[in-house]
Amino acid sequence: MCALKEGRSIESTMGFTALDGLPMGTRPGQLDPGVVLYLISEKGMSPAKAQDFLYRDCGLKGLSGVSNDMRELEASEDSKAKLAIEYFVYRIGLNAGMLAAALQGLDAFVFTAGIGENSTRIRARVADQLGWLGVTLDSAANSRHARLISGSDSRIPIYVIPTDEELMIAQHTLLLLMDTPSSSTRQEKAL
């Protein structure tokens, strides 16, 4: 999650790596550093094995034991799949509070990317978590994947905005490459 002010990120749930923040498909999200020490000293994992475990076997996959795919978790009757979803929604609610504090209030709450764009159930559950902020959901608008899904009485509008992460990465990479002088130009300037 990211807090944006005037189009710029001022706070994010991620830290030094993508292991921090919200639980993801295979990454745990916020984690006590003592867990890493425990994995190495008590479970006998090498640092490389602990790293692989934290990046590939935790998060929704690790909590559920079912899948790292929210669609599969939502379709599952397994109690661990339900636990993974509950934990995911709970952590979004906690982090929304942190980001709202960083912004000193919210002008809007935006769902985007895979789960945010596609899961009406997750959006409804998150909106319920944000009720303390005066958020209400228009269930019909949410069901039809409208752009504005907040209720008319919501103190904060809720939007669903599609994104194309791969396209953004490609565009930013291209801009970076176009702005970087070639090695021969750098050598000429050094002379």
Side-chain angles (χ1 to χ4, degrees):
M1 293 174 68
C2 186
L4 296 172
K5 185 172 188 171
E6 297 175 4
R8 295 183 58 98
S9 171
I10 64 160
E11 186 63 76
S12 170
T13 57
M14 284 194 197
F16 180 69
T17 69
L19 287 177
D20 203 2
L22 295 178
M24 297 182 205
T26 61
R27 296 184 297 250
Q30 186 177 353
L31 183 74
D32 179 337
V35 171
V36 178
L37 300 174
Y38 173 81
L39 292 173
I40 293 170
S41 66
E42 300 298 319
K43 292 297 185 179
M45 288 185 177
S46 68
K49 179 69 176 162
Q51 179 177 337
D52 187 62
F53 172 73
L54 292 170
Y55 274 97
R56 300 186 194 287
D57 294 321
C58 293
L60 298 174
K61 178 183 176 184
L63 284 170
S64 71
V66 173
S67 176
N68 65 344
D69 188 319
M70 184 59 75
R71 295 167 294 194
E72 291 179 30
L73 296 177
E74 287 182 317
S76 176
E77 293 297 320
D78 188 293
S79 62
K80 289 182 180 177
K82 294 180 186 317
L83 170 69
I85 293 170
E86 289 292 325
Y87 183 72
F88 181 72
V89 170
Y90 175 73
R91 296 303 302 187
I92 291 172
L94 286 179
N95 282 276
M98 174 191 73
L99 296 175
L103 290 166
Q104 297 293 296
L106 297 178
D107 294 327
F109 191 90
V110 177
F111 288 98
T112 193
I115 296 170
E117 286 179 50
N118 298 301
S119 178
T120 59
R121 287 191 271 174
I122 294 296
R123 291 194 305 255
R125 294 178 75 175
V126 169
D128 189 52
Q129 284 281 318
L130 302 179
W132 66 275
L133 288 167
V135 167
T136 62
L137 183 73
D138 179 331
S139 297
N142 186 39
S143 294
R144 68 176 184 274
H145 298 277
R147 182 171 218 141
L148 178 65
I149 61 169
S150 48
S152 59
D153 60 340
S154 187
R155 287 185 15 216
I156 299 167
I158 308 170
Y159 295 97
V160 178
I161 300 179
T163 188
D164 185 339
E165 294 170 283
E166 290 82 8
L167 177 62
M168 292 304 296
I169 291 168
Q171 288 175 339
H172 285 277
T173 301
L174 184 59
L175 284 173
L176 182 64
L177 291 173
M178 291 173 61
D179 192 39
T180 303
S182 69
S183 60
S184 63
T185 305
R186 278 185 291 224
Q187 288 173 349
E188 290 169 10
K189 286 182 180 180
L191 298 173

